[in-house]
Amino acid sequence: MKLYDIAHSRTGDKGNTSTISLIPYKEADFSLIKKYVTDEAVAKWFAPLGPIKVTRYEFFKVPALNFVIENALGGGVTHSLNIDRHGKSYSSALLEMEIPDK
Amino acid sequence: MKKIRIGSGAGYADDRIEPAIDLINRGNLDYICFECLAERTIAIAQNQKLADPNAGYNDLLEYRFKKILPAIKAHPTKVITNMGAANPKAATKKIVEMAAEYGVHNLKIATVSGDDITTLTSNYGANEMMEDHQPLSSLNRKIISANAYLGAKAIVTALDQGADIVVTGRVADPSLFMAPLIHEFGWNFTDYDKLGKGTLLGHLLECAGQVSGGYFADPGYKDVDKLWELGFPFADVTDTGDITLHKLPDTGGLLSTDTVKEQLIYEIQDPTKYYTPDVIADFSNVQVEPAKDGEGIHVIGATGRAKTGELKVSVGYEDGYITEGGINYGGHNAFNKAKLATEIVRKRLQLLKVPVDAFKEDYIGADSLYHGVLPVPEHVSEIRARIATRTSSLEAAKEVVREVKSLYTNGPSAGGGVRTITQKIVAIASITVPENDIRTHVDSEEVK
C-alpha cells in the first residue's frame, strides 16, 4: 500500500533544508510506518534530489515522524532555480511511497 | 485560574484581512497578532527605506489598518504586529495618522526597534554562515540588510507600559504571540517550561489559517468546508500554559486533531530543540486532543530549557537575477517539442556566450517538481517547457528573455503562451551574534 492510504503529511523549509512530517490517520498504523519509513528509506526515495542527508525524529505522545532532509531545495528558498523553491510539494511525493501492509 | 484569548490575524505578508476582522468583531479577543514578515521580505523593505526614509514597512499596512482601526474601536483588542518590517518607526507614524483620521482615541502605540544591525555587519565578518559554514566575510556580494531575530522581551516592556498596539521589525514569529502571556501572567523570563508552552502557542498560531483547515484539503479524501471563507484560529491560554485552539462558528475551514498535528510539526527540525531567542522549546511530548467540553482542540505538554544567548541574524544580500520563461506545447509529440525548446535556448546561450551562472529546465505537467522522485510519463497531451537561469548581470538576463521569446518563430511547431519574468534576487545568509550585542528600544506615541 501507499503511505497516502494511511497517513498525511506537510512540508516546511529552512534555508536549503526540507522538513516533512508523516502522520498516520490511525494510531494503529504508526508501528508499521516506523518499521518501514526509516531515514535510509526516505533518503533512497528522495535520492534524485541530489546529495541529501536525512534525519528522522519521532514525537512521543502524538503518533508522528518528522524527516529533516538537508540540501534538498536546490540551494534554498532565496537561491534556488526550482519552480517550487520551498519544496512545498515534497509531502505529496513522500505519500506515494509503497510499504508492505504488515 | 487566569485565562486570556489571543487571535491570529495573519500568517504571512499577503494574507487575507477579513478573517482577522471577523475575529476582532466576534471573537471577544484580548489580543490579536499579525505575523507578516518572511525571511527576505525585510531585505526588500530595507531597499525601499533607502529610497524613501518614510517607506520600508509592510506594503499592506495601510490596507490592513483601515479595517483594523474601526474594528478595535468597536471591540477593544490589543494588536501586536511585525508589519514594521525595515522601518517600524515609520509604520507607527502612519498608524498614528490613521488612528486620528478614523477617530480612534486614547490609543498608545509602541514601536520596538533595535533589530536592524545593517551598519554593524563588518563586526561579524568572522561569524560562520549557517548555510555553507563559511565566514560572513567570504560573501562576495553587496549586503543590503542585517536584522536580528528579537525575542518577546521588548514587546512585553511595551505592553507593561500600557501599549494598545505594538509595532515591531524582525521578531521571532512565536515571540509575537508569547509576549502577551508573559505580560498578563507575570511569567518569569527564566521560567523556561512556561516559555516552551508560550512558544508552542506562537508556533501553532503564527501561520494563521494553516492550523484551521488551510493547506490541508485533498478533495474527496481530506475535505475542508468553504475554504473561501476560512476562519482564522484563536486560542484560550491559561496561566499554566494550557492551550485550547478554536475558530469562530459559521466560518469555513476545519480545526481537528489532524490539522493541529500538521501545524505542530510544520517547519521544525528536532522536536526536542526548537530554538527561539527566548527559550529552547521541546515539543516532543506535546499532546493534541479534542477538548473535554467538545469545544476546540486542547494542546498541552510543551516544555523548555535555557536559551542559547545567541540571536539569529538574517543578512540580506544581492544575488544577481533569476529569469524564468516558459512556452506550452500540446497534442502529438508535445513532450519532445518541449525538450527541443529547452535545448534550443541552452545552445543559443552557449553560442552567444551569454554569461549564465546556472541553467535549469523543467517540464510542467510531467517533470518539474520532483526531479525524478516520482515516475515521469512518456506522453502527455499538453506540457509547458520552463527555463530558469541565474545571471549576475541584468544584460545577461535580458538575453535569456530574448531567447525564450524567439521560440515563437525560431523554435518547434505550435508553441504558445510565452511568458517571462526577471527578478532581482535578494538572498539570505544567516549568522548568530551574542544577544548582549543587540540593544532594543521601545518608544511610545499616544493618540489623544
Side-chain angles (χ1 to χ4, degrees):
Chain A
M1 65 184 166
K2 284 186 173 178
L3 289 176
Y4 183 84
D5 300 322
I6 56 170
H8 55 116
S9 175
R10 178 175 291 181
T11 313
D13 61 277
K14 283 276 186 255
N16 200 15
T17 297
S18 179
T19 65
I20 311 180
S21 62
L22 188 61
I23 309 163
Y25 290 107
K26 294 179 187 150
E27 189 150 7
D29 289 323
F30 192 38
S31 56
L32 201 64
I33 284 175
K34 279 199 280 188
K35 183 175 172 188
Y36 292 111
V37 194
T38 59
D39 43 6
E40 292 89 356
V42 171
K44 195 175 162 200
W45 185 252
F46 284 109
L49 299 180
I52 55 168
K53 181 189 166 205
V54 177
T55 310
R56 186 177 92 164
Y57 294 100
E58 191 178 333
F59 285 75
F60 304 117
K61 304 274 173 63
V62 169
L65 299 176
N66 190 32
F67 294 94
V68 175
I69 311 182
E70 294 170 48
N71 205 26
L73 296 173
V77 174
T78 60
H79 192 70
S80 174
L81 292 184
N82 290 348
I83 192 159
D84 176 13
R85 289 175 187 168
H86 302 83
K88 294 281 189 187
S89 59
Y90 289 174
S91 55
S92 304
L94 179 62
L95 294 178
E96 289 296 305
M97 186 191 277
E98 291 271 357
I99 62 165
D101 56 11
K102 60 184 169 190
Chain B
M1 187 168 52
K2 197 175 171 186
K3 196 189 265 190
I4 62 166
R5 180 170 284 187
I6 302 179
S8 179
Y12 82 111
D14 299 314
D15 212 340
R16 296 176 186 166
I17 183 68
E18 296 80 13
I21 302 306
D22 195 20
L23 272 184
I24 296 171
N25 287 340
R26 294 200 291 139
N28 196 22
L29 303 180
D30 299 302
Y31 292 84
I32 187 164
C33 303
F34 292 81
E35 195 291 291
C36 299
L37 206 48
E39 201 172 29
R40 63 176 169 175
T41 322
I42 206 161
I44 295 162
Q46 195 80 29
N47 268 343
Q48 293 167 348
K49 182 181 159 185
L50 285 176
D52 173 0
N54 289 315
Y57 51 81
N58 183 276
D59 287 341
L60 295 182
L61 180 129
E62 284 184 70
Y63 167 81
R64 287 203 175 95
F65 272 91
K66 261 183 197 171
K67 295 179 177 172
I68 293 169
L69 287 165
I72 62 170
K73 185 179 177 184
H75 304 277
T77 306
K78 296 199 174 199
V79 176
I80 301 172
T81 181
N82 56 11
M83 270 186 260
N87 203 349
K89 284 178 184 160
T92 295
K93 194 175 150 202
K94 174 54 73 180
I95 298 166
V96 168
E97 281 170 26
M98 292 177 73
E101 187 185 332
Y102 287 91
V104 189
H105 302 291
N106 301 317
L107 201 63
K108 192 165 180 180
I109 307 177
T111 312
V112 170
S113 56
D115 60 302
D116 184 348
I117 58 165
T118 309
T119 56
L120 303 177
T121 47
S122 57
N123 295 352
Y124 300 111
N127 294 40
E128 184 181 282
M129 294 183 280
M130 290 174 179
E131 288 76 10
D132 61 3
H133 307 291
Q134 299 299 309
L136 182 64
S137 58
S138 70
L139 193 68
N140 188 22
R141 302 281 190 180
K142 188 181 162 199
I143 289 176
I144 303 164
S145 66
N147 292 78
Y149 282 80
L150 304 182
K153 206 163 205 167
I155 303 173
V156 174
T157 303
L159 295 172
D160 290 348
Q161 291 172 1
D164 300 295
I165 298 176
V166 184
V167 181
T168 77
R170 178 60 79 200
V171 169
D173 298 347
S175 305
L176 290 173
F177 295 82
M178 180 159 74
L181 305 182
I182 299 171
H183 164 70
E184 293 279 347
F185 300 144
W187 287 355
N188 199 300
F189 283 100
T190 55
D191 187 348
Y192 295 113
D193 272 342
K194 292 270 178 30
L195 301 188
K197 295 174 203 306
T199 298
L200 175 63
L201 171 82
H203 177 69
L204 291 170
L205 292 184
E206 70 176 71
C207 294
Q210 246 193 199
V211 76
S212 51
Y215 219 64
F216 186 79
D218 186 346
Y221 190 58
K222 275 164 79 190
D223 282 314
V224 178
D225 191 36
K226 292 190 296 183
L227 276 168
W228 45 92
E229 288 176 356
L230 177 66
F232 281 0
F234 62 95
D236 288 326
V237 190
T238 66
D239 53 8
T240 55
D242 285 9
I243 300 163
T244 310
L245 293 169
H246 300 275
K247 73 180 186 69
L248 290 172
D250 307 316
T251 55
L254 173 70
L255 182 68
S256 69
T257 53
D258 286 345
T259 67
V260 173
K261 285 176 199 170
E262 283 198 17
Q263 193 59 23
L264 167 68
I265 307 171
Y266 178 68
E267 279 189 342
I268 70 169
Q269 300 193 13
D270 180 346
T272 66
K273 296 188 193 80
Y274 184 76
Y275 295 94
T276 82
D278 304 304
V279 62
I280 302 172
D282 183 340
F283 296 162
S284 64
N285 283 298
V286 167
Q287 292 172 260
V288 180
E289 304 289 348
K292 291 213 168 56
D293 61 4
E295 298 286 325
I297 304 295
H298 195 216
V299 191
I300 54 167
T303 58
R305 53 187 184 277
K307 59 186 174 172
T308 62
E310 295 275 311
L311 296 183
K312 183 173 157 184
V313 173
S314 279
V315 179
Y317 61 94
E318 291 186 352
D319 193 29
Y321 299 84
I322 288 180
T323 300
E324 296 173 271
I327 184 166
N328 279 43
Y329 297 92
H332 197 76
N333 219 12
F335 203 160
N336 284 326
K337 287 184 190 176
K339 286 179 185 168
L340 178 56
T342 62
E343 185 186 0
I344 291 167
V345 174
R346 185 160 24 88
K347 288 197 166 144
R348 284 290 299 169
L349 295 173
Q350 284 164 359
L351 281 171
L352 296 172
K353 297 190 169 56
V354 177
V356 171
D357 302 330
F359 180 98
K360 188 169 191 301
E361 61 206 45
D362 291 307
Y363 302 98
I364 296 170
D367 183 12
S368 65
L369 297 174
Y370 299 128
H371 311 95
V373 173
L374 296 187
V376 177
E378 259 181 66
H379 298 288
V380 287
S381 60
E382 57 178 73
I383 195 164
R384 182 168 183 81
R386 170 183 181 263
I387 288 135
T389 61
R390 190 180 311 110
T391 61
S392 299
S393 73
L394 183 58
E395 290 68 32
K398 286 178 176 170
E399 293 271 18
V400 175
V401 167
R402 275 194 287 276
E403 287 306 325
V404 175
K405 286 184 173 169
S406 307
L407 287 171
Y408 269 135
T409 53
N410 300 271
S413 64
V418 170
R419 302 279 190 284
T420 63
I421 180 170
T422 297
Q423 289 174 294
K424 189 173 182 183
I425 297 301
V426 175
I428 295 290
S430 307
I431 59 169
T432 62
V433 307
E435 183 187 346
N436 292 335
D437 286 10
I438 307 296
R439 295 274 170 268
T440 56
H441 308 280
V442 178
D443 302 291
S444 292
E445 294 200 41
E446 291 192 43
V447 184
K448 301 270 185 221

